[in-house]
Amino acid sequence: MIRLSKSVVGKLESEAVARVIENSGYLGMGAVVNLFEKDLEEYIGSGYRCVCVNSGTAALHLAIQAVTRPGDEVLVPSFTFVSTYQAITGAGCVPISCEVDPTSLLLDLDDAEKRITPKTKLILPVYYASNVTMVDAYQEFAKKHHLRIIEDAAHAFGCISNHRKIGSFGDIICFSFDGIKNITSGEGGAIFSADQKVIQKVSDARLLGVCKDSEKRYKGERSWVFDVTDQGYRYHMSNIFAAIGIVQLRRFETEFAPRRRHIAKSYTMLLSGNPNIQLIPMNYDDTVPHIFPILVLNGKREELMQVFKEKDIQFGIQYRPNHLLSYFKTSYALPVTEDIYSKILTIPMHPELSDSDIEFICSIINNL
Ligand SMILES: Cc1ncc(COP(=O)(O)O)c(C=O)c1O
């Protein structure tokens, strides 16, 4: 079987986990989490602070809670993983489903602008398929409309825009380190910001809202006499997860990023010119692609999915638009998003995909 995605982990990660188990006497959140945060801050650069949590969804939830009040409206593309939406409603806010641009598949700012009301407090763009080409436009939009901006950069760890790493500029940036992301910590996520108030809020909220408990945990201590001033959750990262993340980060620039770029460039070379396929135009020198979506035109998607099934090749449909889900249903249609949903297909993308796998997958697509 050719897998759509997978965790690429091995001896180094298991040795790191073994060290935590055998040496530390504590598997929960402690010094190793602090080390991972420091490593991430150093990698992203620019002095932005980082807070690690136990998922990308938790990162988004805490970030949203830190800058909104219940009832606030959040501009968000419907075309995203359901995590983005659950994080918004989890914080008591209202997702305002917006269209995406039909070429980049990213949040369409003209559509978003029409949906602004006095209750709009936040714009939450998603870097779908690691495409960060709109980052400056989003920052300008937020500034123009006096909105906070949280970037859902779950797909975009390691991506670069105008020589700056995603996470090293802007307002608040959230990453995911789940099992199949550009780096994994098993499960996990991180919030980056230069806003010290936000950092303190999310840092407390990840530990049940116990004020300044993180600093104690890093030293192997606990707060016994404490105050709680806000809603919190058990969202902190464990030393086990952090140990895996530290190793993955070390492997990222030399192993994972170049391989993911190579796969995306190979797909682009082999599939461009195919009249049944629309690709997302991207510069893969600056991007570390987490997924590789294609739009299958001329009503050929069903046929392609059938052949993939017969040949034991996994595929994905990323994503079912959230405004079509019962819990987030809108009273209005989003025709561009719905059209994309009828054509989108993600094909295998992970660092262990071989060149012959890539050629085999493309030969099937090109034989449609
Ligand atoms: C666009 C997007 N946002 C948020 C998340 C949430 O990340 P996690 O799975 O770590 O909770 C994901 C995860 O797949 C995602 O794809």
Side-chain angles (χ1 to χ4, degrees), residues 63-258:
I64 296 165
Q65 181 178 284
V67 294
T68 58
R69 287 166 186 239
D72 286 350
E73 292 179 358
V74 180
L75 300 169
V76 61
S78 174
F79 193 60
T80 180
F81 191 43
V82 64
S83 293
T84 322
Y85 270 61
Q86 290 287 22
I88 295 170
T89 50
C93 294
V94 182
I96 302 300
S97 296
C98 301
E99 281 283 29
V100 286
D101 169 80
T103 309
S104 66
L105 314 193
L106 298 177
L107 175 64
D108 176 343
L109 288 177
D110 291 333
D111 185 74
E113 193 159 37
K114 287 185 216 138
R115 302 188 194 279
I116 292 178
T117 75
K119 287 188 179 169
T120 312
K121 289 287 146 43
L122 176 66
I123 177 169
L124 208 169
V126 178
Y127 297 139
Y128 178 75
S130 318
N131 186 349
V132 297
T133 47
M134 291 281 289
V135 54
D136 289 324
Y138 294 141
Q139 309 289 345
E140 275 165 34
F141 182 95
K143 211 163 156 195
K144 178 175 162 200
H145 295 288
H146 308 289
L147 304 175
R148 297 297 298 242
I149 170 167
I150 296 176
E151 299 162 47
D152 182 341
H155 294 194
F157 187 78
C159 294
I160 290 171
S161 166
N162 286 332
H163 311 286
R164 301 155 304 173
K165 282 203 186 100
I166 293 300
S168 70
F169 62 101
D171 190 1
I172 306 170
I173 307 92
C174 294
F175 294 107
S176 160
F177 306 135
D178 78 20
I180 56 167
K181 288 297 190 301
N182 286 357
I183 62 167
T184 183
S185 55
E187 295 287 353
I191 300 139
F192 274 81
S193 184
D195 182 335
Q196 190 48 42
K197 265 198 200 147
V198 168
I199 290 295
Q200 193 60 55
K201 275 190 178 186
V202 297
S203 176
D204 289 347
R206 73 175 159 174
L207 282 161
L208 296 167
V210 175
C211 291
K212 304 217 160 114
D213 202 26
S214 290
E215 291 80 348
K216 291 235 165 65
R217 299 251 184 170
Y218 294 151
K219 290 188 253 162
E221 298 166 5
R222 291 277 294 274
S223 308
W224 299 117
V225 181
F226 57 79
D227 196 14
V228 169
T229 54
D230 211 343
Q231 176 65 51
Y233 307 86
R234 275 185 73 80
Y235 278 173
H236 54 277
M237 181 176 270
S238 78
N239 276 347
I240 295 252
F241 284 10
I244 297 170
I246 288 170
V247 174
Q248 288 267 303
L249 184 58
R250 282 194 202 126
R251 298 176 63 185
F252 180 65
E253 285 293 344
T254 50
E255 287 182 61
F256 305 144

Side-chain angles (χ1 to χ4, degrees), residues 239-277:
N239 276 347
I240 295 252
F241 284 10
I244 297 170
I246 288 170
V247 174
Q248 288 267 303
L249 184 58
R250 282 194 202 126
R251 298 176 63 185
F252 180 65
E253 285 293 344
T254 50
E255 287 182 61
F256 305 144
R259 187 68 203 161
R260 284 183 178 274
R261 288 192 194 108
H262 168 80
I263 295 166
K265 286 180 185 177
S266 305
Y267 275 144
T268 305
M269 194 180 69
L270 293 168
L271 295 176
S272 47
N274 182 327
N276 293 318
I277 301 299

Side-chain angles (χ1 to χ4, degrees), residues 16-51:
V17 170
R19 277 195 296 277
V20 174
I21 292 174
E22 288 162 19
N23 304 338
S24 74
Y26 183 59
L27 308 185
M29 178 173 143
V32 190
V33 174
N34 194 21
L35 282 179
F36 186 33
E37 289 174 341
K38 296 286 162 237
D39 284 359
L40 286 164
E41 285 172 2
E42 197 184 315
Y43 171 75
I44 295 290
S46 85
Y48 271 42
R49 292 281 314 280
C50 161
V51 174

